[in-house]
Amino acid sequence: MKKFPIVILISGRGSNLKAIIDAKDPLIEIKAVISNKSQAGGLLYAKQNNIKTEVLNHKNFKTRLEFDQALQICIDKYQPELIVLAGFMRILSAEFVNHYQKRIINIHPSLLPTFKGLHTHKRVLEAKIKQHGASVHFLTEELDAGPVIIQAQVPVFSDDNEDTLAARVLNEEHRIYPQAIHWFAEGRLKLRGQQVFLDNQIIEVPNETF
Ligand code: GRF
């Protein structure tokens, strides 16, 4: 049986990449791991697992568009059916996002739509909110605003600091990202308009999570 080809983009540590590799999903084949940083820790783990790696340094390109075009060419060599952003710290142009419409997903460390953007754990602690979590979502032009596929919630404890909270959220990220990819590979996940369906059932994600 032909495996479902995916490409994973990273910029750093790569713990989500590791979780996806370690899940050993028999349905998927990781065709390549691409990083915009040569020092990204995840590259080594990919190599150790005999996965092709590529580095495309954004600093070698004059504009965002030029980088995105080169990235697109690099990705398309592998003909993936899904592009998985796993800690890829570059904002992607509308052209790029539209090219991969409905086939590009991201993981974000908050219960979207709350806490878009950076430093989510710090901001959650400052806001004294009691629930936090992670979301896997389809990528759209607007940052962290695409339709949510799956979320996981974690409690925030009064003695938490950024590290303890990040670790608790990360544990959940490592569970829900392989799950979302598996659904995708099974063909059970569909995006119609702004609505995500699993087996033709609408995935309900609360608008407000606290
Ligand atoms: C994760 O917290 C993810 O949600 C965010 O960036 C971080 C990447 O971590 N987008 P890692 O490189 O997968 O360890």
Side-chain angles (χ1 to χ4, degrees):
M1 192 192 66
K2 183 182 177 283
K3 290 194 178 187
F4 185 80
I6 70 171
V7 162
I8 303 180
L9 307 190
I10 63 168
S11 296
R13 169 179 66 178
S15 70
N16 276 289
L17 167 71
K18 182 173 184 300
I20 297 163
I21 293 174
D22 291 352
K24 295 193 190 322
D25 190 327
L27 296 185
I28 71 158
E29 180 177 0
I30 305 171
K31 292 289 218 182
V33 172
I34 304 172
S35 173
N36 63 316
K37 297 207 167 165
S38 59
Q39 299 306 315
L43 287 171
L44 183 62
Y45 197 67
K47 280 184 196 141
Q48 286 166 349
N49 283 274
N50 300 316
I51 298 166
K52 185 124 184 42
T53 60
E54 304 243 18
V55 175
L56 206 60
N57 187 344
H58 59 277
K59 292 188 179 147
N60 294 339
F61 297 86
K62 278 200 232 71
T63 63
R64 183 181 302 282
L65 216 54
E66 280 178 36
F67 170 72
D68 284 5
Q69 279 164 355
L71 183 60
Q72 191 176 309
I73 290 167
C74 185
I75 292 172
D76 287 349
K77 279 191 306 197
Y78 298 99
Q79 301 189 305
E81 294 198 34
L82 179 68
I83 293 104
V84 175
L85 306 186
F88 185 66
M89 300 304 283
R90 298 280 309 163
I91 292 179
L92 293 158
S93 58
E95 287 81 353
F96 183 94
V97 176
N98 289 332
H99 179 74
Y100 296 111
Q101 234 183 44
K102 301 187 181 184
R103 339 188 250 137
I104 179 162
I105 60 176
N106 183 41
I107 188 151
H108 181 76
S110 82
L111 294 170
L112 291 173
T114 58
F115 298 100
K116 297 172 181 170
L118 295 173
H119 310 301
T120 56
H121 310 304
K122 182 166 182 276
R123 287 158 54 211
V124 162
L125 287 171
E126 282 167 1
K128 302 201 187 312
I129 282 158
K130 295 291 162 229
Q131 285 290 318
H132 188 28
S135 310
V136 177
H137 66 95
F138 281 99
L139 206 74
T140 52
E141 287 177 34
E142 197 188 330
L143 189 71
D144 300 330
V148 171
I149 297 165
I150 185 171
Q151 285 186 326
Q153 299 204 7
V154 300
V156 183
F157 299 124
S158 51
D159 59 351
D160 266 331
N161 57 41
E162 266 187 74
D163 291 341
T164 56
L165 188 53
R168 195 173 307 123
V169 172
L170 209 55
N171 246 332
E172 293 300 307
E173 293 186 30
H174 297 164
R175 183 176 65 78
I176 63 175
Y177 219 3
Q179 173 69 80
I181 295 166
H182 186 73
W183 283 341
F184 211 103
E186 287 180 307
R188 294 169 63 191
L189 212 53
K190 293 276 157 4
L191 177 62
R192 299 188 192 118
Q194 286 298 296
Q195 192 65 65
V196 184
F197 292 79
L198 178 67
D199 298 336
N200 289 316
Q201 300 269 12
I202 290 180
I203 292 185
E204 297 287 356
V205 174
N207 284 325
E208 288 299 329
T209 41
F210 60 90

